[in-house]
Amino acid sequence: MITTLLVVVIVLAIAFDYINGFHDAANSIATIVSTKVLTPFMAVLWAAIFNFAAYFYFTDHKVANTIAKTVIEQYITLEVIFAGLVAAISWNLFTWYYGIPSSSSHTLIGGFAGSGMAYALFLGANPIDAINISATMKIISFIVLAPVIGMTISIIITLVIINICRNAKPRVAEKWFKILQLISSAGLSFAHGGNDAQKVMGIIFVAMIAGGAATAGEQMPEWIPLSCYAAISLGTMSGGWKIVKTMGTKITKVTPLEGVSAETAGAVTLGITEHFGIPASTTHTITGSIIGVGVVKRVSAVRWGVTISLLWAWILTIPVSAVLGGITLAIIHYIL
């Protein structure tokens, strides 16, 4: 049965995916824009194409399943999902406005978890009982692990490339790395689409179950992944220039060689996390990868003041989104 609230929740979820696209566009295009390999317009178009191309490859939906299990089923209602989405969209727009590359993934998870905990409290239960601790700890652990893995891989790739190309003519090498950066950027956009679109897919399917329009265990309708990949791709085409500036220039100056290393490391890291069904943050991953290429030059090449500010945004995203989710549910609860 399709209710008005279910339709509103689905529309909000797809809107979140669109916002995710332009909020996280910087993850895919920051380095390719800062190295002037592509113009900003061509970069977002390039990223959007590969965001959507992931639809044809990522069919197991492991990340979607993890997101769907963040809150225990008995504490999931359409109101809980609605409140979580409102919280996630609010924090995403706030951080986008101020050019803060926070994680859309963790915003969604925090909002959903916070509204679920608030609902448990209204039922007289322990709020912690509403949370799937195993799934949540897996997600939280990758706040640290994703950037560290990205940084480690980018350092290794950069050192390997430097050693292979040590006798190459700088002008010839730069020409080739600009071409290679098209490939590495496409790979990162592909991995970003495959990882991030799935997060909203899980939320929509859970909403359909909670609204009585689907049953647990049945196959996800094909329109859900199709609409999510389309929304995130269209959002990417809208760009997110404030965050592009932070990611592409403020952390460290990036050359085409380093762009290839950072993007390849980010794509590999996201591919690994998707394989294991872990909803890692694209933002955290590529930031760690960019820091890695900066460290190879010298530790002082990384603007650590900017990096520490980003770290605070990462730490605050889940708890702030959770509080917003709980407050939103409380407002709904007392109004209705």
Side-chain angles (χ1 to χ4, degrees), residues 148-169:
V148 169
I149 293 170
M151 181 175 68
T152 304
I153 295 174
S154 71
I155 289 171
I156 293 169
I157 292 173
T158 305
L159 291 173
V160 168
I161 290 174
I162 288 172
N163 278 283
I164 291 174
C165 300
R166 62 181 178 273
N167 296 321
K169 294 179 179 178

Side-chain angles (χ1 to χ4, degrees), residues 28-92:
S28 303
I29 70 170
T31 55
I32 205 167
V33 170
S34 65
T35 56
K36 296 181 171 60
V37 172
L38 289 177
T39 63
F41 174 76
M42 289 304 298
V44 292
L45 183 61
W46 184 255
I49 289 169
F50 287 96
N51 272 175
F52 188 76
Y55 163 77
F56 299 100
Y57 180 79
F58 294 102
T59 57
D60 52 17
H61 307 326
K62 291 180 183 177
V63 173
N65 290 334
T66 302
I67 291 289
K69 294 174 182 175
T70 305
V71 176
I72 302 299
E73 187 177 351
Q74 71 189 78
Y75 298 105
I76 298 176
T77 66
L78 287 177
E79 290 79 8
V80 165
I81 299 170
F82 175 83
L85 285 168
V86 168
I89 289 172
S90 300
W91 182 247
N92 247 10

Side-chain angles (χ1 to χ4, degrees), residues 100-305:
I100 303 168
S102 65
S103 168
S104 296
S105 309
H106 294 155
T107 302
L108 182 63
I109 292 160
F112 187 33
S115 59
M117 292 171 72
Y119 182 64
L121 194 62
F122 292 139
L123 294 178
N126 186 337
I128 300 300
D129 291 343
I131 303 301
N132 183 328
I133 300 298
S134 175
T136 304
M137 290 308 297
K138 184 191 294 185
I139 293 164
I140 290 173
S141 66
F142 271 79
I143 292 177
V144 176
L145 291 176
V148 169
I149 293 170
M151 181 175 68
T152 304
I153 295 174
S154 71
I155 289 171
I156 293 169
I157 292 173
T158 305
L159 291 173
V160 168
I161 290 174
I162 288 172
N163 278 283
I164 291 174
C165 300
R166 62 181 178 273
N167 296 321
K169 294 179 179 178
R171 186 175 297 179
V172 174
E174 184 170 357
K175 178 183 175 182
W176 276 104
F177 282 119
K178 285 187 174 182
I179 295 171
L180 288 172
Q181 204 178 355
L182 289 173
I183 299 171
S184 62
S185 177
L188 181 60
S189 297
F190 186 78
H192 172 233
N195 200 284
D196 278 32
Q198 287 193 50
K199 293 156 189 173
V200 173
M201 286 161 49
I203 292 293
I204 292 176
F205 193 52
V206 165
M208 290 183 67
I209 294 170
T215 57
E218 75 174 80
Q219 188 172 359
M220 183 184 296
E222 196 57 34
W223 67 264
I224 295 179
L226 186 59
S227 60
C228 288
Y229 278 105
I232 200 169
S233 300
L234 289 171
T236 297
M237 286 184 66
S238 301
W241 308 120
K242 292 181 180 180
I243 299 176
V244 168
K245 187 176 180 182
T246 300
M247 299 290 283
T249 62
K250 288 189 177 179
I251 296 174
T252 188
K253 185 175 180 179
V254 179
T255 65
L257 181 158
E258 293 158 351
V260 170
S261 299
E263 289 160 355
T264 303
V268 170
T269 304
L270 291 174
I272 292 169
T273 56
E274 199 285 330
H275 176 75
F276 291 103
I278 301 165
S281 166
T282 312
T283 306
H284 295 189
T285 303
I286 191 61
T287 301
S289 300
I290 292 171
I291 290 171
V293 299
V295 167
V296 170
K297 287 184 285 191
R298 61 188 185 281
V299 174
S300 61
V302 178
R303 296 184 178 96
W304 294 105

